[in-house]
Amino acid sequence: MNIGILGGGQLARMLALAGHPLGANFTVLDPAKDACAKAVANHVVSAYDDRCGLKQFSELVDIVTYEFENIPAESVSFLKGEVPVYPSSDALAVSRDRLIEKSLFRELGIQTPDFVAINTADDLPGALKSIGFPAVLKSRTLGYDGKGQVVLNSTEDIENSFERLGSVPCILEAFVPFTREISVIAARSRNGETVFYPVSENTHKKGILHLSVCKTDDPMQSVAQEYCKSLLDKLNYVGVLALELFDAGGKLLANEIAPRVHNSGHWTIEGAQTSQFENHLRAVLGLPLGDASARGHCAMVNFVGHTADLEKVLKIPGAHLHNYQKKSRPGRKVGHATILTSSEDMFNTSLNELLALT
Ligand code: AMP
């Protein structure tokens, strides 16, 4: 079995690392010559919209999945004509466009911040009357890690805000004074079998995920899971899907979905009975899913810009290091570490030691 992955970054690398024990081989398609998944997979160096590269890739693989959602729709439909592709292009289309995504939330009765479509700068004053200040203006497509958005606190902030985002179609959202951010990750197989991981509580630094803590008894688990299930079933989804939510003092509001394995689920590598990477592969291959429960107290800390000292991390009880072998660069995720312990006290001590290294 040769599994093709669109994108050759760390998510593809961790998918391949999880799939080798199942007897799978991997081929990634990525335009970057130094894509970090190439250490554990064949690598087709090609642009995502290059028909020759896509054709060559499709001839090497039995099935295609992806590690990020900004793949041109035409490329996915071309590949679909050659080999099975999971998850479906419907899920990609939803996650790629914030207006379609939030409209789907609304249609399914999933609470989400109030929002209005903004097509020109002239739409803003009227929209702000209904949404109110503060509000967040976001480009409908290509935003990530807080990029492609601007917070509007008062009428003075309106000027040039639309232009600053490139004068592209946007949505205006109510700013949510959330108490915390959480995500729920699920895997759904080809036959509809579904498992949910315990929610992760996520903290960001400069818009980039810093820390995810697995919450095994979270009061929001059932609502988050219910929201996620309605999306999975509506999209007839196959694979791992992450739903990010704001917890505004006990009221959950959906922010966005990621139709792929997710950074907030990296703790599952050591921390869950079956990792999100293995369950994604099991789901797309139509195999039985594995238990998604936690093995203990666990968390994940990202290394951004540069990785931490190997020896210092490994000295921490319960710590495991994942170095993606990527070149150091400010703002770049180059690795992460997880903590897994059986006691809560040891967890808190180890996590504090790990955080001190970042
Ligand atoms: P996003 O690109 O939508 O995931 O947003 C990146 C980050 O910006 C989120 O993780 C939040 O911390 C913050 N954010 C996004 N939308 C809102 C909102 N409507 N209200 C408050 N904070 C937000």
Side-chain angles (χ1 to χ4, degrees), residues 70-109:
N70 289 319
I71 305 286
E74 307 74 49
S75 302
V76 177
S77 57
F78 168 76
L79 286 170
K80 254 170 44 184
E82 308 285 314
V83 277
V85 180
Y86 296 109
S88 73
S89 40
D90 293 353
L92 272 193
V94 169
S95 68
R96 193 183 285 129
D97 185 323
R98 293 183 192 275
L99 183 61
I100 297 176
E101 187 178 46
K102 290 230 155 54
S103 304
L104 179 65
F105 293 161
R106 200 176 258 174
E107 181 196 323
L108 295 174

Side-chain angles (χ1 to χ4, degrees), residues 280-306:
H280 180 75
L281 298 171
R282 291 188 188 208
V284 301
L285 294 172
L287 296 168
L289 298 181
D291 181 357
S293 62
R295 292 177 196 263
H297 299 272
C298 32
M300 184 257 6
V301 175
N302 266 338
F303 298 130
V304 178
H306 53 87

Side-chain angles (χ1 to χ4, degrees), residues 1-330:
M1 171 66 65
N2 203 329
I3 300 174
I5 306 174
L6 292 164
Q10 64 267 22
L11 300 180
R13 179 181 166 106
M14 289 185 271
L15 281 167
L17 288 169
H20 285 147
L22 302 178
N25 292 314
F26 290 84
T27 300
V28 300
L29 180 137
D30 193 304
K33 286 206 179 78
D34 61 350
C36 75
K38 79 173 188 187
V40 289
N42 305 319
H43 181 196
V44 173
V45 182
S46 162
Y48 295 113
D49 57 358
D50 176 340
R51 274 293 157 94
C52 286
L54 290 167
K55 179 82 185 150
Q56 185 199 347
F57 173 67
S58 70
E59 282 168 357
L60 293 169
V61 300
D62 304 300
I63 184 172
V64 166
T65 187
Y66 36 84
E67 64 145 25
F68 80 113
E69 50 273 50
N70 289 319
I71 305 286
E74 307 74 49
S75 302
V76 177
S77 57
F78 168 76
L79 286 170
K80 254 170 44 184
E82 308 285 314
V83 277
V85 180
Y86 296 109
S88 73
S89 40
D90 293 353
L92 272 193
V94 169
S95 68
R96 193 183 285 129
D97 185 323
R98 293 183 192 275
L99 183 61
I100 297 176
E101 187 178 46
K102 290 230 155 54
S103 304
L104 179 65
F105 293 161
R106 200 176 258 174
E107 181 196 323
L108 295 174
I110 296 172
Q111 303 270 315
T112 191
D114 279 347
F115 65 92
V116 177
I118 303 291
N119 293 316
T120 71
D122 295 341
D123 294 340
L124 267 176
L128 278 159
K129 278 208 181 92
S130 72
I131 299 283
F133 290 104
V136 193
L137 183 66
K138 300 180 176 178
S139 62
R140 280 175 56 175
T141 60
L142 297 175
Y144 69 98
D145 285 348
K147 294 187 177 67
Q149 58 180 270
V150 44
V151 177
L152 307 177
N153 286 304
S154 64
T155 36
E156 285 91 79
D157 294 338
I158 299 178
E159 203 178 329
N160 292 329
S161 56
F162 185 74
E163 291 75 12
R164 268 164 47 208
L165 293 181
S167 301
V168 292
C170 288
I171 66 167
L172 183 76
E173 279 177 30
F175 184 90
V176 180
F178 56 79
T179 40
R180 61 185 187 137
E181 294 187 78
I182 64 169
S183 55
V184 64
I185 293 176
R188 185 175 185 275
S189 194
R190 289 198 212 168
N191 65 5
E193 182 193 1
T194 305
V195 293
F196 294 93
Y197 288 91
V199 302
S200 305
E201 193 175 289
N202 305 320
T203 312
H204 297 82
K205 260 191 190 171
K206 295 186 188 157
I208 299 174
L209 184 66
H210 172 53
L211 166 69
S212 286
V213 179
C214 160
K215 308 298 278 185
T216 44
D217 290 317
D218 199 279
M220 294 294 137
Q221 180 79 36
S222 60
V223 182
Q225 231 173 265
E226 215 177 276
Y227 283 175
C228 193
K229 175 141 182 29
S230 61
L231 286 160
L232 293 166
D233 291 344
K234 172 76 182 178
L235 295 167
N236 195 16
Y237 192 86
V238 176
V240 159
L241 178 128
L243 170 63
E244 295 183 54
L245 305 123
F246 301 130
D247 181 352
K251 187 177 174 197
L252 270 196
L253 300 168
N255 179 31
E256 62 181 3
I257 59 168
R260 53 170 166 78
V261 287
H262 194 250
N263 196 170
S264 67
H266 290 2
W267 63 264
T268 65
I269 299 177
E270 286 85 18
Q273 297 292 347
T274 317
S275 78
Q276 63 163 347
F277 300 98
E278 181 173 339
N279 262 338
H280 180 75
L281 298 171
R282 291 188 188 208
V284 301
L285 294 172
L287 296 168
L289 298 181
D291 181 357
S293 62
R295 292 177 196 263
H297 299 272
C298 32
M300 184 257 6
V301 175
N302 266 338
F303 298 130
V304 178
H306 53 87
T307 173
D309 183 87
L310 181 63
E311 267 192 56
K312 284 187 182 155
V313 174
L314 298 185
K315 261 190 196 150
I316 300 172
H320 300 264
L321 183 85
H322 297 260
N323 182 331
Y324 309 149
Q325 294 182 293
K326 285 163 69 170
K327 283 204 187 89
S328 296
R329 197 191 299 153

